Amino acid sequence: MDQIAAPSPAPGLPRPGRGRVAMQVRWSDVDLFGHVNNAAFLRYLDDARFTLFPRMGVDEVGAMTASLLVVVKHEIDYLAPIRFRPAPVVVEVWVPRLGRSSVDFAYEILDGEDPDGVVALRARSRMVQLDGASYTARPFTDEERATFAAFPGGSPDLHAW
């Protein structure tokens, strides 16, 4: 399996190789404790991933394609609460590992748009590419590999159990 490397970031600048998606905190994302609920954070990860990789299982008009990229595992460290407010959060997404038919996405959710701001969440998702007809693993095409390779980075530093 390929490991994708990225250079170290300069202070105050977005990290090279990372996609950045700003998102509003919705009132419906906040739970009774007054902070963004854990399930809403998963939606943020999905929304950012689909924003950066819009052809993952659907075409330009939203119809299902012959191949599907499905989640097989999530690992998430919740590091700091985010409360409802008008300022957006930023989800950074990159690809630390690209296999034959699976890919890992890494994420950090920043509390605000400053790249050196508080990291509220750090996560990793493993996804497997399936053939839409047989639901068996399908290798990535050269074009798909190039799309993922445009977002290189190291594996996120997650806490062990």
Side-chain angles (χ1 to χ4, degrees), residues 28-139:
S28 61
D29 296 339
V30 178
D31 61 20
L32 293 175
F33 300 112
H35 56 71
V36 173
N37 183 274
N38 63 312
F41 277 114
L42 271 173
R43 282 193 305 274
Y44 294 167
L45 302 182
D46 283 345
D47 288 350
R49 198 174 57 243
F50 276 103
T51 298
L52 293 170
F53 303 96
R55 296 196 48 136
M56 293 175 32
V58 294
D59 65 15
E60 293 81 11
V61 296
M64 298 298 291
T65 62
S67 55
L68 310 167
L69 198 56
V70 297
V71 174
V72 295
K73 183 176 185 176
H74 285 303
E75 292 178 274
I76 300 173
D77 285 345
Y78 298 95
L79 304 171
I82 293 179
R83 301 194 180 284
F84 180 77
R85 78 297 179 81
V89 297
V90 171
V91 183
E92 293 188 339
V93 183
W94 68 98
V95 178
R97 189 196 65 82
L98 179 58
R100 183 175 121 352
S101 61
S102 66
V103 59
D104 289 357
F105 292 98
Y107 316 86
E108 285 186 345
I109 295 182
L110 306 175
D111 189 359
E113 298 189 69
D114 179 1
D116 295 325
V118 172
V119 176
L121 176 142
R122 190 170 287 127
R124 174 176 46 220
S125 299
R126 176 152 299 166
M127 301 187 79
V128 173
Q129 180 74 24
L130 301 178
D131 176 79
S134 67
Y135 288 92
T136 58
R138 178 188 67 73

